[in-house]
Amino acid sequence: MTTPTWDEPGGPLPADAFRAASEAIIANIEQVIEGKSATVRLALAVMLAEGHLLIEDVPGVGKTTLAKALARSIDCSVRRIQFTPDLLPSDVTGVSVYNQETRDFEFKPGAVFANLVVGDEINRASPKTQSALLECMEERQVTVDGTTYELQSPFMVIATQNPIEMEGTYPLPEAQRDRFTARIAMGYPDPRAEMAMLNGHGAHDPFDDLRAVADAALMRRLIATARDVHAAEAVQQYAIALVTATREAPEIRLGASPRSTLQLIRTAKAVAALEGRDYVLPDDLQALAVPVLAHRIIPTADAQLNRRTTDAIVAEIVHRLPLPHDRNRSPYDTRAAGGGGTQYESRGL
């Protein structure tokens, strides 16, 4: 038995309305995240691509702050899960409880029944608990005691983890990592941004002033707009070539999956929409290759001994793989005919 609980996304927004809504969300998040505009935009792009985000970095750089700011910027249901070794799968998905009055079992939804699920330090939970997220992240549904419950739309999991501290943690399995659309690192702020943080956060918590600037219905329309962005066949072939190269590279033991190809294109469409374009460029795929592909691959033992990171391996693949040679102007390119040609042409392709 399936009980639907969400509505299909609404129609796409006009270009000016999409730009206004997306920029409002970005500006809202940047009230509490200083000097990380590219990271904020990528986080929003993952949400518009109907994906999930893994934020991996050292403590204290704003991983949870970014997740909470994105959640608070949207007026929809938000649940936070603090992953600990004693967390049970039923705490995530829900459990059936016997009701003595009705003499029947009632389903009590878990924390995953929300539009935005923030999983703090996800690698501190056992693999058994981590696996509770597999179905909901891929299929947007939860099955408990033979009954399937569909999740609300939009639905996004934003998880954080600390890559340095390994005591008491469980590495994410390959199936779990592959369900995250992108992995990003916050990085340390530059001195100017850190000074602005001291002035803005020292005596007052900026979260107190943060208000929602969008709701679930608007997010569904933003997602529908990103879906309509055009990806030419040459661009899709380039995406396949990037993913195929990870499977053939001698330094990689396990390459990226077909799911990563699909999510690479979806995220590129969202990035193009945020940039004000209704078509995808190969440059979008190049910029997204590391955050979308690097966490999905497993290097060989020799590469690990040589301290070759997956980020460096994917970046090298992007550098050596030639761009598409399709010089035809995209029919979705809305620039004037005399505007200097496409970006492919400007790079001599």
Side-chain angles (χ1 to χ4, degrees), residues 254-291:
L254 178 65
S257 67
R259 181 191 287 123
S260 64
T261 312
L262 178 61
Q263 294 186 347
L264 181 61
I265 288 293
R266 285 178 176 175
T267 311
K269 288 184 176 183
V271 167
L274 291 176
E275 293 295 324
R277 287 183 275 109
D278 54 4
Y279 56 95
V280 177
L281 292 173
D283 301 69
D284 299 326
L285 302 181
Q286 287 188 322
L288 292 169
V290 171

PDB file of all heavy atoms in Angstrom, residues 254-291:
ATOM      1  N   LEU A 254      37.723   1.683  -8.605  1.00  0.00           N
ATOM      2  CA  LEU A 254      36.282   1.694  -8.851  1.00  0.00           C
ATOM      3  C   LEU A 254      35.889   3.045  -9.402  1.00  0.00           C
ATOM      4  O   LEU A 254      36.066   4.076  -8.736  1.00  0.00           O
ATOM      5  CB  LEU A 254      35.504   1.407  -7.559  1.00  0.00           C
ATOM      6  CG  LEU A 254      33.972   1.446  -7.668  1.00  0.00           C
ATOM      7  CD1 LEU A 254      33.487   0.322  -8.579  1.00  0.00           C
ATOM      8  CD2 LEU A 254      33.320   1.342  -6.299  1.00  0.00           C
ATOM      9  N   GLY A 255      35.382   3.054 -10.634  1.00  0.00           N
ATOM     10  CA  GLY A 255      35.012   4.303 -11.273  1.00  0.00           C
ATOM     11  C   GLY A 255      33.607   4.755 -10.902  1.00  0.00           C
ATOM     12  O   GLY A 255      32.898   4.097 -10.142  1.00  0.00           O
ATOM     13  N   ALA A 256      33.222   5.901 -11.452  1.00  0.00           N
ATOM     14  CA  ALA A 256      31.911   6.483 -11.150  1.00  0.00           C
ATOM     15  C   ALA A 256      30.811   5.668 -11.822  1.00  0.00           C
ATOM     16  O   ALA A 256      30.985   5.072 -12.885  1.00  0.00           O
ATOM     17  CB  ALA A 256      31.861   7.935 -11.613  1.00  0.00           C
ATOM     18  N   SER A 257      29.629   5.680 -11.205  1.00  0.00           N
ATOM     19  CA  SER A 257      28.493   4.889 -11.658  1.00  0.00           C
ATOM     20  C   SER A 257      27.668   5.649 -12.699  1.00  0.00           C
ATOM     21  O   SER A 257      27.818   6.864 -12.858  1.00  0.00           O
ATOM     22  CB  SER A 257      27.597   4.547 -10.464  1.00  0.00           C
ATOM     23  OG  SER A 257      27.001   5.729  -9.955  1.00  0.00           O
ATOM     24  N   PRO A 258      26.772   4.945 -13.414  1.00  0.00           N
ATOM     25  CA  PRO A 258      25.853   5.653 -14.322  1.00  0.00           C
ATOM     26  C   PRO A 258      24.993   6.686 -13.596  1.00  0.00           C
ATOM     27  O   PRO A 258      24.591   7.685 -14.194  1.00  0.00           O
ATOM     28  CB  PRO A 258      25.003   4.520 -14.899  1.00  0.00           C
ATOM     29  CG  PRO A 258      25.863   3.299 -14.797  1.00  0.00           C
ATOM     30  CD  PRO A 258      26.662   3.480 -13.544  1.00  0.00           C
ATOM     31  N   ARG A 259      24.687   6.447 -12.306  1.00  0.00           N
ATOM     32  CA  ARG A 259      23.930   7.443 -11.550  1.00  0.00           C
ATOM     33  C   ARG A 259      24.672   8.776 -11.507  1.00  0.00           C
ATOM     34  O   ARG A 259      24.057   9.842 -11.549  1.00  0.00           O
ATOM     35  CB  ARG A 259      23.684   6.933 -10.126  1.00  0.00           C
ATOM     36  CG  ARG A 259      22.858   7.918  -9.280  1.00  0.00           C
ATOM     37  CD  ARG A 259      22.845   7.522  -7.818  1.00  0.00           C
ATOM     38  NE  ARG A 259      22.010   6.364  -7.565  1.00  0.00           N
ATOM     39  CZ  ARG A 259      22.427   5.245  -7.008  1.00  0.00           C
ATOM     40  NH1 ARG A 259      23.697   5.106  -6.669  1.00  0.00           N
ATOM     41  NH2 ARG A 259      21.605   4.240  -6.797  1.00  0.00           N
ATOM     42  N   SER A 260      25.995   8.722 -11.453  1.00  0.00           N
ATOM     43  CA  SER A 260      26.772   9.963 -11.389  1.00  0.00           C
ATOM     44  C   SER A 260      26.662  10.747 -12.697  1.00  0.00           C
ATOM     45  O   SER A 260      26.685  11.987 -12.675  1.00  0.00           O
ATOM     46  CB  SER A 260      28.234   9.644 -11.078  1.00  0.00           C
ATOM     47  OG  SER A 260      28.819   8.876 -12.121  1.00  0.00           O
ATOM     48  N   THR A 261      26.543  10.051 -13.833  1.00  0.00           N
ATOM     49  CA  THR A 261      26.359  10.759 -15.104  1.00  0.00           C
ATOM     50  C   THR A 261      25.061  11.543 -15.096  1.00  0.00           C
ATOM     51  O   THR A 261      25.012  12.719 -15.507  1.00  0.00           O
ATOM     52  CB  THR A 261      26.354   9.760 -16.271  1.00  0.00           C
ATOM     53  OG1 THR A 261      27.444   8.857 -16.157  1.00  0.00           O
ATOM     54  CG2 THR A 261      26.461  10.493 -17.602  1.00  0.00           C
ATOM     55  N   LEU A 262      24.004  10.900 -14.636  1.00  0.00           N
ATOM     56  CA  LEU A 262      22.703  11.562 -14.571  1.00  0.00           C
ATOM     57  C   LEU A 262      22.745  12.750 -13.624  1.00  0.00           C
ATOM     58  O   LEU A 262      22.246  13.846 -13.949  1.00  0.00           O
ATOM     59  CB  LEU A 262      21.640  10.560 -14.125  1.00  0.00           C
ATOM     60  CG  LEU A 262      20.220  11.078 -13.945  1.00  0.00           C
ATOM     61  CD1 LEU A 262      19.677  11.635 -15.250  1.00  0.00           C
ATOM     62  CD2 LEU A 262      19.308   9.982 -13.411  1.00  0.00           C
ATOM     63  N   GLN A 263      23.360  12.588 -12.465  1.00  0.00           N
ATOM     64  CA  GLN A 263      23.399  13.677 -11.500  1.00  0.00           C
ATOM     65  C   GLN A 263      24.345  14.794 -11.936  1.00  0.00           C
ATOM     66  O   GLN A 263      24.139  15.958 -11.581  1.00  0.00           O
ATOM     67  CB  GLN A 263      23.776  13.128 -10.125  1.00  0.00           C
ATOM     68  CG  GLN A 263      22.711  12.204  -9.562  1.00  0.00           C
ATOM     69  CD  GLN A 263      22.998  11.758  -8.142  1.00  0.00           C
ATOM     70  OE1 GLN A 263      24.099  11.929  -7.633  1.00  0.00           O
ATOM     71  NE2 GLN A 263      21.994  11.185  -7.492  1.00  0.00           N
ATOM     72  N   LEU A 264      25.366  14.447 -12.693  1.00  0.00           N
ATOM     73  CA  LEU A 264      26.248  15.485 -13.239  1.00  0.00           C
ATOM     74  C   LEU A 264      25.485  16.393 -14.192  1.00  0.00           C
ATOM     75  O   LEU A 264      25.620  17.628 -14.142  1.00  0.00           O
ATOM     76  CB  LEU A 264      27.432  14.823 -13.951  1.00  0.00           C
ATOM     77  CG  LEU A 264      28.486  15.759 -14.565  1.00  0.00           C
ATOM     78  CD1 LEU A 264      29.132  16.622 -13.490  1.00  0.00           C
ATOM     79  CD2 LEU A 264      29.546  14.952 -15.311  1.00  0.00           C
ATOM     80  N   ILE A 265      24.653  15.808 -15.063  1.00  0.00           N
ATOM     81  CA  ILE A 265      23.857  16.606 -15.997  1.00  0.00           C
ATOM     82  C   ILE A 265      22.804  17.410 -15.242  1.00  0.00           C
ATOM     83  O   ILE A 265      22.585  18.604 -15.526  1.00  0.00           O
ATOM     84  CB  ILE A 265      23.206  15.698 -17.055  1.00  0.00           C
ATOM     85  CG1 ILE A 265      24.256  15.171 -18.029  1.00  0.00           C
ATOM     86  CG2 ILE A 265      22.118  16.447 -17.811  1.00  0.00           C
ATOM     87  CD1 ILE A 265      24.876  16.241 -18.905  1.00  0.00           C
ATOM     88  N   ARG A 266      22.127  16.788 -14.283  1.00  0.00           N
ATOM     89  CA  ARG A 266      21.103  17.510 -13.522  1.00  0.00           C
ATOM     90  C   ARG A 266      21.683  18.700 -12.784  1.00  0.00           C
ATOM     91  O   ARG A 266      21.096  19.792 -12.779  1.00  0.00           O
ATOM     92  CB  ARG A 266      20.432  16.557 -12.539  1.00  0.00           C
ATOM     93  CG  ARG A 266      19.460  15.572 -13.166  1.00  0.00           C
ATOM     94  CD  ARG A 266      18.888  14.647 -12.099  1.00  0.00           C
ATOM     95  NE  ARG A 266      17.870  13.748 -12.638  1.00  0.00           N
ATOM     96  CZ  ARG A 266      17.290  12.772 -11.941  1.00  0.00           C
ATOM     97  NH1 ARG A 266      17.623  12.584 -10.673  1.00  0.00           N
ATOM     98  NH2 ARG A 266      16.385  12.000 -12.504  1.00  0.00           N
ATOM     99  N   THR A 267      22.836  18.510 -12.155  1.00  0.00           N
ATOM    100  CA  THR A 267      23.451  19.611 -11.411  1.00  0.00           C
ATOM    101  C   THR A 267      23.936  20.697 -12.364  1.00  0.00           C
ATOM    102  O   THR A 267      23.840  21.892 -12.061  1.00  0.00           O
ATOM    103  CB  THR A 267      24.615  19.099 -10.558  1.00  0.00           C
ATOM    104  OG1 THR A 267      24.200  17.947  -9.815  1.00  0.00           O
ATOM    105  CG2 THR A 267      25.076  20.167  -9.575  1.00  0.00           C
ATOM    106  N   ALA A 268      24.448  20.295 -13.520  1.00  0.00           N
ATOM    107  CA  ALA A 268      24.883  21.282 -14.514  1.00  0.00           C
ATOM    108  C   ALA A 268      23.710  22.119 -14.997  1.00  0.00           C
ATOM    109  O   ALA A 268      23.842  23.333 -15.238  1.00  0.00           O
ATOM    110  CB  ALA A 268      25.564  20.574 -15.681  1.00  0.00           C
ATOM    111  N   LYS A 269      22.546  21.492 -15.153  1.00  0.00           N
ATOM    112  CA  LYS A 269      21.358  22.254 -15.539  1.00  0.00           C
ATOM    113  C   LYS A 269      20.998  23.283 -14.472  1.00  0.00           C
ATOM    114  O   LYS A 269      20.645  24.430 -14.780  1.00  0.00           O
ATOM    115  CB  LYS A 269      20.179  21.301 -15.763  1.00  0.00           C
ATOM    116  CG  LYS A 269      20.269  20.462 -17.026  1.00  0.00           C
ATOM    117  CD  LYS A 269      19.010  19.620 -17.210  1.00  0.00           C
ATOM    118  CE  LYS A 269      19.024  18.848 -18.516  1.00  0.00           C
ATOM    119  NZ  LYS A 269      17.770  18.088 -18.733  1.00  0.00           N
ATOM    120  N   ALA A 270      21.085  22.877 -13.207  1.00  0.00           N
ATOM    121  CA  ALA A 270      20.768  23.811 -12.122  1.00  0.00           C
ATOM    122  C   ALA A 270      21.770  24.951 -12.073  1.00  0.00           C
ATOM    123  O   ALA A 270      21.397  26.115 -11.865  1.00  0.00           O
ATOM    124  CB  ALA A 270      20.743  23.061 -10.786  1.00  0.00           C
ATOM    125  N   VAL A 271      23.050  24.647 -12.264  1.00  0.00           N
ATOM    126  CA  VAL A 271      24.075  25.689 -12.272  1.00  0.00           C
ATOM    127  C   VAL A 271      23.845  26.655 -13.434  1.00  0.00           C
ATOM    128  O   VAL A 271      23.948  27.881 -13.278  1.00  0.00           O
ATOM    129  CB  VAL A 271      25.478  25.061 -12.357  1.00  0.00           C
ATOM    130  CG1 VAL A 271      26.531  26.112 -12.679  1.00  0.00           C
ATOM    131  CG2 VAL A 271      25.823  24.356 -11.049  1.00  0.00           C
ATOM    132  N   ALA A 272      23.515  26.119 -14.608  1.00  0.00           N
ATOM    133  CA  ALA A 272      23.242  26.984 -15.755  1.00  0.00           C
ATOM    134  C   ALA A 272      22.056  27.898 -15.484  1.00  0.00           C
ATOM    135  O   ALA A 272      22.079  29.094 -15.824  1.00  0.00           O
ATOM    136  CB  ALA A 272      22.978  26.122 -16.994  1.00  0.00           C
ATOM    137  N   ALA A 273      21.010  27.350 -14.849  1.00  0.00           N
ATOM    138  CA  ALA A 273      19.846  28.184 -14.525  1.00  0.00           C
ATOM    139  C   ALA A 273      20.227  29.297 -13.557  1.00  0.00           C
ATOM    140  O   ALA A 273      19.781  30.443 -13.702  1.00  0.00           O
ATOM    141  CB  ALA A 273      18.740  27.314 -13.931  1.00  0.00           C
ATOM    142  N   LEU A 274      21.060  28.982 -12.566  1.00  0.00           N
ATOM    143  CA  LEU A 274      21.486  30.006 -11.611  1.00  0.00           C
ATOM    144  C   LEU A 274      22.356  31.069 -12.275  1.00  0.00           C
ATOM    145  O   LEU A 274      22.415  32.210 -11.810  1.00  0.00           O
ATOM    146  CB  LEU A 274      22.254  29.359 -10.452  1.00  0.00           C
ATOM    147  CG  LEU A 274      21.427  28.485  -9.496  1.00  0.00           C
ATOM    148  CD1 LEU A 274      22.332  27.821  -8.464  1.00  0.00           C
ATOM    149  CD2 LEU A 274      20.355  29.317  -8.796  1.00  0.00           C
ATOM    150  N   GLU A 275      23.036  30.678 -13.368  1.00  0.00           N
ATOM    151  CA  GLU A 275      23.858  31.637 -14.095  1.00  0.00           C
ATOM    152  C   GLU A 275      23.045  32.420 -15.129  1.00  0.00           C
ATOM    153  O   GLU A 275      23.609  33.227 -15.876  1.00  0.00           O
ATOM    154  CB  GLU A 275      25.010  30.909 -14.797  1.00  0.00           C
ATOM    155  CG  GLU A 275      26.026  30.290 -13.845  1.00  0.00           C
ATOM    156  CD  GLU A 275      26.766  31.332 -13.036  1.00  0.00           C
ATOM    157  OE1 GLU A 275      27.046  32.418 -13.593  1.00  0.00           O
ATOM    158  OE2 GLU A 275      27.043  31.073 -11.853  1.00  0.00           O
ATOM    159  N   GLY A 276      21.750  32.159 -15.206  1.00  0.00           N
ATOM    160  CA  GLY A 276      20.898  32.896 -16.130  1.00  0.00           C
ATOM    161  C   GLY A 276      20.863  32.333 -17.532  1.00  0.00           C
ATOM    162  O   GLY A 276      20.439  33.027 -18.470  1.00  0.00           O
ATOM    163  N   ARG A 277      21.307  31.081 -17.705  1.00  0.00           N
ATOM    164  CA  ARG A 277      21.299  30.454 -19.016  1.00  0.00           C
ATOM    165  C   ARG A 277      20.233  29.371 -19.089  1.00  0.00           C
ATOM    166  O   ARG A 277      19.915  28.756 -18.077  1.00  0.00           O
ATOM    167  CB  ARG A 277      22.667  29.828 -19.321  1.00  0.00           C
ATOM    168  CG  ARG A 277      23.744  30.850 -19.633  1.00  0.00           C
ATOM    169  CD  ARG A 277      25.065  30.173 -20.000  1.00  0.00           C
ATOM    170  NE  ARG A 277      25.846  29.852 -18.800  1.00  0.00           N
ATOM    171  CZ  ARG A 277      26.052  28.646 -18.335  1.00  0.00           C
ATOM    172  NH1 ARG A 277      25.506  27.600 -18.947  1.00  0.00           N
ATOM    173  NH2 ARG A 277      26.786  28.434 -17.252  1.00  0.00           N
ATOM    174  N   ASP A 278      19.714  29.128 -20.292  1.00  0.00           N
ATOM    175  CA  ASP A 278      18.772  28.039 -20.489  1.00  0.00           C
ATOM    176  C   ASP A 278      19.405  26.907 -21.280  1.00  0.00           C
ATOM    177  O   ASP A 278      18.729  26.129 -21.940  1.00  0.00           O
ATOM    178  CB  ASP A 278      17.502  28.531 -21.194  1.00  0.00           C
ATOM    179  CG  ASP A 278      17.787  29.264 -22.492  1.00  0.00           C
ATOM    180  OD1 ASP A 278      18.978  29.327 -22.889  1.00  0.00           O
ATOM    181  OD2 ASP A 278      16.839  29.772 -23.108  1.00  0.00           O
ATOM    182  N   TYR A 279      20.716  26.786 -21.207  1.00  0.00           N
ATOM    183  CA  TYR A 279      21.454  25.720 -21.854  1.00  0.00           C
ATOM    184  C   TYR A 279      22.719  25.444 -21.034  1.00  0.00           C
ATOM    185  O   TYR A 279      23.224  26.310 -20.317  1.00  0.00           O
ATOM    186  CB  TYR A 279      21.839  26.090 -23.296  1.00  0.00           C
ATOM    187  CG  TYR A 279      22.634  27.378 -23.387  1.00  0.00           C
ATOM    188  CD1 TYR A 279      24.027  27.359 -23.415  1.00  0.00           C
ATOM    189  CD2 TYR A 279      21.989  28.604 -23.431  1.00  0.00           C
ATOM    190  CE1 TYR A 279      24.755  28.529 -23.471  1.00  0.00           C
ATOM    191  CE2 TYR A 279      22.696  29.788 -23.499  1.00  0.00           C
ATOM    192  CZ  TYR A 279      24.088  29.748 -23.515  1.00  0.00           C
ATOM    193  OH  TYR A 279      24.805  30.910 -23.553  1.00  0.00           O
ATOM    194  N   VAL A 280      23.227  24.217 -21.136  1.00  0.00           N
ATOM    195  CA  VAL A 280      24.405  23.795 -20.379  1.00  0.00           C
ATOM    196  C   VAL A 280      25.643  23.912 -21.250  1.00  0.00           C
ATOM    197  O   VAL A 280      25.617  23.563 -22.444  1.00  0.00           O
ATOM    198  CB  VAL A 280      24.242  22.333 -19.889  1.00  0.00           C
ATOM    199  CG1 VAL A 280      25.490  21.861 -19.159  1.00  0.00           C
ATOM    200  CG2 VAL A 280      23.021  22.208 -18.992  1.00  0.00           C
ATOM    201  N   LEU A 281      26.738  24.399 -20.668  1.00  0.00           N
ATOM    202  CA  LEU A 281      28.023  24.463 -21.337  1.00  0.00           C
ATOM    203  C   LEU A 281      28.946  23.358 -20.824  1.00  0.00           C
ATOM    204  O   LEU A 281      28.821  22.923 -19.676  1.00  0.00           O
ATOM    205  CB  LEU A 281      28.688  25.818 -21.088  1.00  0.00           C
ATOM    206  CG  LEU A 281      28.035  27.046 -21.720  1.00  0.00           C
ATOM    207  CD1 LEU A 281      28.721  28.313 -21.226  1.00  0.00           C
ATOM    208  CD2 LEU A 281      28.099  26.969 -23.236  1.00  0.00           C
ATOM    209  N   PRO A 282      29.911  22.915 -21.635  1.00  0.00           N
ATOM    210  CA  PRO A 282      30.902  21.966 -21.131  1.00  0.00           C
ATOM    211  C   PRO A 282      31.659  22.505 -19.916  1.00  0.00           C
ATOM    212  O   PRO A 282      32.086  21.734 -19.056  1.00  0.00           O
ATOM    213  CB  PRO A 282      31.839  21.758 -22.321  1.00  0.00           C
ATOM    214  CG  PRO A 282      31.006  22.078 -23.521  1.00  0.00           C
ATOM    215  CD  PRO A 282      30.073  23.164 -23.083  1.00  0.00           C
ATOM    216  N   ASP A 283      31.802  23.826 -19.846  1.00  0.00           N
ATOM    217  CA  ASP A 283      32.474  24.422 -18.691  1.00  0.00           C
ATOM    218  C   ASP A 283      31.732  24.123 -17.390  1.00  0.00           C
ATOM    219  O   ASP A 283      32.354  24.005 -16.328  1.00  0.00           O
ATOM    220  CB  ASP A 283      32.590  25.945 -18.887  1.00  0.00           C
ATOM    221  CG  ASP A 283      33.359  26.305 -20.145  1.00  0.00           C
ATOM    222  OD1 ASP A 283      32.818  26.053 -21.244  1.00  0.00           O
ATOM    223  OD2 ASP A 283      34.488  26.821 -20.036  1.00  0.00           O
ATOM    224  N   ASP A 284      30.409  24.017 -17.464  1.00  0.00           N
ATOM    225  CA  ASP A 284      29.635  23.655 -16.270  1.00  0.00           C
ATOM    226  C   ASP A 284      30.028  22.262 -15.785  1.00  0.00           C
ATOM    227  O   ASP A 284      30.186  22.029 -14.588  1.00  0.00           O
ATOM    228  CB  ASP A 284      28.136  23.698 -16.580  1.00  0.00           C
ATOM    229  CG  ASP A 284      27.667  25.078 -17.008  1.00  0.00           C
ATOM    230  OD1 ASP A 284      28.216  26.072 -16.492  1.00  0.00           O
ATOM    231  OD2 ASP A 284      26.758  25.159 -17.854  1.00  0.00           O
ATOM    232  N   LEU A 285      30.183  21.338 -16.722  1.00  0.00           N
ATOM    233  CA  LEU A 285      30.567  19.981 -16.357  1.00  0.00           C
ATOM    234  C   LEU A 285      31.984  19.946 -15.804  1.00  0.00           C
ATOM    235  O   LEU A 285      32.273  19.203 -14.852  1.00  0.00           O
ATOM    236  CB  LEU A 285      30.459  19.054 -17.572  1.00  0.00           C
ATOM    237  CG  LEU A 285      29.085  18.965 -18.245  1.00  0.00           C
ATOM    238  CD1 LEU A 285      29.135  17.992 -19.417  1.00  0.00           C
ATOM    239  CD2 LEU A 285      28.019  18.534 -17.251  1.00  0.00           C
ATOM    240  N   GLN A 286      32.874  20.737 -16.380  1.00  0.00           N
ATOM    241  CA  GLN A 286      34.239  20.784 -15.871  1.00  0.00           C
ATOM    242  C   GLN A 286      34.281  21.301 -14.438  1.00  0.00           C
ATOM    243  O   GLN A 286      35.004  20.771 -13.591  1.00  0.00           O
ATOM    244  CB  GLN A 286      35.101  21.669 -16.776  1.00  0.00           C
ATOM    245  CG  GLN A 286      35.437  21.048 -18.122  1.00  0.00           C
ATOM    246  CD  GLN A 286      36.435  21.883 -18.893  1.00  0.00           C
ATOM    247  OE1 GLN A 286      36.390  23.114 -18.879  1.00  0.00           O
ATOM    248  NE2 GLN A 286      37.352  21.218 -19.579  1.00  0.00           N
ATOM    249  N   ALA A 287      33.499  22.338 -14.170  1.00  0.00           N
ATOM    250  CA  ALA A 287      33.496  22.912 -12.830  1.00  0.00           C
ATOM    251  C   ALA A 287      32.891  21.973 -11.804  1.00  0.00           C
ATOM    252  O   ALA A 287      33.248  22.015 -10.615  1.00  0.00           O
ATOM    253  CB  ALA A 287      32.735  24.251 -12.840  1.00  0.00           C
ATOM    254  N   LEU A 288      31.980  21.107 -12.241  1.00  0.00           N
ATOM    255  CA  LEU A 288      31.272  20.217 -11.321  1.00  0.00           C
ATOM    256  C   LEU A 288      31.903  18.832 -11.217  1.00  0.00           C
ATOM    257  O   LEU A 288      31.482  18.039 -10.358  1.00  0.00           O
ATOM    258  CB  LEU A 288      29.814  20.055 -11.771  1.00  0.00           C
ATOM    259  CG  LEU A 288      28.933  21.295 -11.656  1.00  0.00           C
ATOM    260  CD1 LEU A 288      27.615  21.074 -12.375  1.00  0.00           C
ATOM    261  CD2 LEU A 288      28.681  21.644 -10.197  1.00  0.00           C
ATOM    262  N   ALA A 289      32.867  18.524 -12.041  1.00  0.00           N
ATOM    263  CA  ALA A 289      33.408  17.170 -12.088  1.00  0.00           C
ATOM    264  C   ALA A 289      33.968  16.729 -10.739  1.00  0.00           C
ATOM    265  O   ALA A 289      33.687  15.614 -10.275  1.00  0.00           O
ATOM    266  CB  ALA A 289      34.483  17.072 -13.172  1.00  0.00           C
ATOM    267  N   VAL A 290      34.744  17.576 -10.090  1.00  0.00           N
ATOM    268  CA  VAL A 290      35.347  17.187  -8.810  1.00  0.00           C
ATOM    269  C   VAL A 290      34.296  17.022  -7.716  1.00  0.00           C
ATOM    270  O   VAL A 290      34.242  15.979  -7.057  1.00  0.00           O
ATOM    271  CB  VAL A 290      36.449  18.181  -8.402  1.00  0.00           C
ATOM    272  CG1 VAL A 290      36.915  17.908  -6.969  1.00  0.00           C
ATOM    273  CG2 VAL A 290      37.636  18.076  -9.354  1.00  0.00           C
ATOM    274  N   PRO A 291      33.431  18.014  -7.459  1.00  0.00           N
ATOM    275  CA  PRO A 291      32.440  17.813  -6.388  1.00  0.00           C
ATOM    276  C   PRO A 291      31.433  16.706  -6.651  1.00  0.00           C
ATOM    277  O   PRO A 291      30.923  16.103  -5.708  1.00  0.00           O
ATOM    278  CB  PRO A 291      31.743  19.177  -6.278  1.00  0.00           C
ATOM    279  CG  PRO A 291      32.012  19.866  -7.564  1.00  0.00           C
ATOM    280  CD  PRO A 291      33.349  19.376  -8.006  1.00  0.00           C
TER     281      PRO A 291
END
